[in-house]
Amino acid sequence: MTLKATPKARRLLATILSVLAGVMVVGAVGLLGYPEYTNIRAENKQKVLRAELQNASAKLKAAYENPVKVGTTSGQATLAEGSPLTKIQIPKIGLDTIVVQGTSSQALAAGTGHYPQTPLPCSNTGNVAIAGHRTMNGHPFQDLNKMATGDTVTLMTPFQECTYTVVASVDGHPGVWTTLPNDWTVIAQTTAPFLTLTTCTPEGTASQRIVVRAQLTSVKNIVPGSTTR
């Protein structure tokens, strides 16, 4: 004997299917739209950060003028998480963005962040380290994998402009390499002045990390009150 659904049951089933379809559509739109939302948010944040960096707060000025040994509880540790620290420019990948203090998810919503346990940009010793997003939040480091030996990275603070050049090798491997996400040796301190850039790879995952190591090759002081590019 064949059982037939009543009109009421059919209406209920149709309603359930419609609701499920709606939920799936909303979910799909959310997944596709969220990355763009983070990009717009980062773009708006960058506009504010550029103005703040140009005006250079007293605390930022004090940190740069009186650098302290990495690991102490003063100097760069007093800078607020998410506050503008330096501008980073990489001609090879067309990058020009503001780096904030800190690498928490909140700080990196601006796109790039300075590892607070490393020296401040343009330091004449140590390993300055900066992390950045490869997808979402403006994806500033999306093309970091295209960097190669000899490429330059410029960091600009309200007080100095310094250029780093990607090295040919680091501890037996190329100056641009891939490692595990928990390999903290990449931001270990050095005697010579270096800059290390990190980002997740493959795109959209965090299973590995791209690392770029560059050495300080020039420093130029900026006259107070002049316009930072």
Side-chain angles (χ1 to χ4, degrees):
M1 183 176 68
T2 302
L3 297 176
K4 294 184 178 180
T6 64
K8 183 177 181 180
R10 288 196 295 269
R11 287 195 297 271
L12 178 60
L13 178 60
T15 299
I16 293 173
L17 291 175
S18 295
V19 171
L20 289 175
V23 169
M24 292 176 67
V25 169
V26 171
V29 171
L31 288 174
L32 294 174
Y34 183 70
E36 185 57 29
Y37 160 73
T38 66
N39 292 336
I40 294 173
R41 180 184 61 187
E43 181 180 357
N44 291 334
K45 181 63 176 177
Q46 282 289 317
K47 293 177 182 178
V48 175
L49 291 171
R50 286 178 186 276
E52 291 180 350
L53 182 63
Q54 182 61 48
N55 294 329
S57 69
K59 187 170 289 188
L60 177 62
K61 183 177 181 180
Y64 272 110
E65 291 182 341
N66 302 286
V68 297
K69 184 178 179 181
V70 174
T72 64
T73 57
S74 58
Q76 56 264 59
T78 66
L79 297 174
E81 181 180 270
S83 60
L85 186 69
T86 185
K87 178 189 292 187
I88 182 171
Q89 296 177 328
I90 307 180
K92 176 68 172 286
I93 60 176
L95 178 64
D96 185 332
T97 194
I98 302 300
V99 178
V100 301
Q101 176 75 340
T103 56
S104 68
S105 57
Q106 292 81 6
L108 286 175
T112 55
H114 167 251
Y115 287 90
Q117 64 269 46
T118 70
L120 292 176
C122 299
S123 296
N124 56 15
T125 60
N127 181 22
V128 181
I130 295 173
H133 279 289
R134 200 169 182 206
T135 59
M136 303 197 301
N137 298 291
H139 46 77
F141 282 179
Q142 183 174 31
D143 295 326
L144 199 66
N145 61 305
K146 297 179 181 179
M147 299 289 286
T149 301
D151 289 338
T152 60
V153 180
T154 298
L155 298 182
M156 301 184 69
T157 77
F159 323 104
Q160 288 182 311
E161 175 181 327
C162 53
T163 299
Y164 296 82
T165 303
V166 178
V167 300
S169 64
V170 179
D171 298 330
H173 53 70
V176 181
W177 75 100
T178 301
T179 189
L180 296 175
N182 59 350
D183 180 8
W184 297 108
T185 64
V186 300
I187 63 171
Q189 289 315 294
T190 57
T191 301
F194 285 102
L195 168 67
T196 297
L197 307 178
T198 70
T199 193
C200 294
T201 194
E203 290 188 52
T205 72
S207 60
Q208 291 183 303
R209 183 188 297 175
I210 292 174
V211 184
V212 175
R213 175 66 61 80
Q215 186 165 15
L216 183 66
T217 49
S218 71
V219 178
K220 181 176 69 175
N221 291 328
I222 295 177
V223 177
S226 63
T227 301
T228 303
R229 291 182 293 162

